[in-house]
């Protein structure tokens, strides 16, 4: 690793290290010593850029939120219609998880914590924004006569996110991240059939 990284570059490399470590072990067991070792740094060097472990976790969650939301929003905008946008969002989210298998472990870990932390607040805000995006696409689908008018957009949004979370849990239990990719198309097809307007 280059020694003359800028502060921003060092923070980015640290985030990458945490995401990489989280793919291989329980995120709650990741220590600052382990992060520093993974980066071939001393803990002192690590703490020149982050005040403590919570600050590192907050930065990681900000990175996850920004990357995931920007990718799914871009996928939705480039789609031909709301149903195509929902499929693009679903598959883009799946691709993100496969590329960064440590991310779901960290998200679930933060949500399980009893106390409120800056990282946990970011996870909640990200889920809220994501849910609104899905609900808006469903409402657009209704307006374009593609989605059944009786569909509760908020409930369908929960179902959409829950489908992805279910796939993640199955892949984590099996120890095979590729399982999520193999089953994603079939799961989305069921979701689409449950909301689309019948001819």
């Amino acid at each position: 690793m280059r020694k003359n990284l800028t502060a921003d570059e060092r923070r980015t490399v640290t985030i990458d290290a945490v995401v990489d470590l989280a793919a291989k072990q329980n995120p709650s067991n990741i220590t600052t010593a382990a992060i520093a070792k993974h980066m071939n740094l001393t803990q002192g060097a690590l703490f020149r850029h982050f005040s403590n472990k919570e600050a590192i976790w907050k930065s990681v969650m900000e990175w996850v939120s920004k990357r995931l939301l920007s990718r799914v929003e871009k996928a939705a905008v480039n789609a031909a219609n709301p149903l195509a946008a929902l499929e693009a969002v679903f598959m883009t989210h799946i691709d993100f998880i496969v590329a960064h298998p440590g991310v779901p472990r960290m998200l679930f870990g933060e949500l399980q914590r009893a106390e409120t932390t800056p990282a946990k607040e970011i996870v909640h805000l990200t889920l809220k924004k994501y849910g609104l995006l899905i609900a808006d696409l469903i409402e657009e689908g209704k307006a374009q006569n593609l989605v059944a008018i009786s569909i509760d957009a908020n409930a369908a949004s929960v179902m959409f996110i829950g489908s992805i979370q279910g796939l993640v849990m199955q892949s984590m239990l099996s120890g095979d991240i590729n399982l999520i990719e193999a089953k994603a198309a079939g799961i989305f097809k069921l979701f689409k059939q449950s909301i689309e307007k019948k001819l």
Side-chain angles (χ1 to χ4, degrees):
M1 181 185 297
R2 279 171 37 218
K3 297 294 183 183
N4 58 338
L5 296 178
T6 66
D8 283 344
E9 287 172 334
R10 181 71 71 192
R11 280 190 282 271
T12 298
V13 171
T14 304
I15 290 166
D16 289 342
V18 173
V19 172
D20 188 41
L21 285 168
K24 301 167 185 172
Q25 65 183 88
N26 185 337
S28 64
N29 294 335
I30 298 173
T31 62
T32 53
I35 297 167
K37 182 179 179 183
H38 191 75
M39 297 172 67
N40 294 317
L41 293 175
T42 64
Q43 283 192 74
L46 189 62
F47 287 131
R48 281 201 288 273
H49 302 283
F50 298 94
S51 56
N52 53 34
K53 184 178 174 181
E54 289 293 345
I56 295 173
W57 249 238
K58 179 176 182 283
S59 291
V60 172
M61 288 303 123
E62 286 172 342
W63 178 90
V64 169
S65 178
K66 183 178 179 181
R67 295 299 186 286
L68 178 59
L69 290 175
S70 66
R71 288 186 188 188
V72 297
E73 286 166 1
K74 183 178 179 181
V77 166
N78 291 330
N81 61 55
L83 283 178
L86 286 166
E87 183 172 8
V89 168
F90 196 94
M91 295 307 177
T92 297
H93 193 159
I94 295 298
D95 289 344
F96 184 82
I97 292 166
V98 171
H100 307 287
V103 167
R105 290 172 176 268
M106 297 189 72
L107 293 176
F108 286 138
E110 283 304 313
L111 291 173
Q112 288 174 23
R113 293 179 66 169
E115 71 275 23
T116 299
T117 66
K120 187 176 181 179
E121 289 177 352
I122 292 167
V123 174
H124 276 295
L125 184 59
T126 302
L127 285 171
K128 183 177 180 181
K129 288 180 178 178
Y130 193 111
L132 288 172
L133 169 67
I134 302 307
D136 286 346
L137 287 173
I138 290 167
E139 291 296 351
E140 286 177 29
K142 290 183 190 180
Q144 294 184 30
N145 216 26
L146 297 171
V147 172
I149 199 71
S150 61
I151 295 297
D152 180 325
N154 290 324
S157 176
V158 171
M159 181 178 167
F160 182 100
I161 295 169
S163 295
I164 294 173
Q165 290 172 336
L167 281 169
V168 169
M169 291 300 291
Q170 285 186 30
S171 70
M172 288 170 69
L173 286 169
S174 71
D176 182 8
I177 192 64
N178 294 318
L179 181 69
I180 189 173
E181 216 168 17
K183 294 189 174 183
I187 297 297
F188 180 79
K189 184 178 179 181
L190 284 174
F191 173 80
K192 181 182 175 183
Q193 289 172 343
S194 73
I195 67 167
E196 65 185 344
K197 183 171 182 178
K198 304 300 184 284
L199 298 176

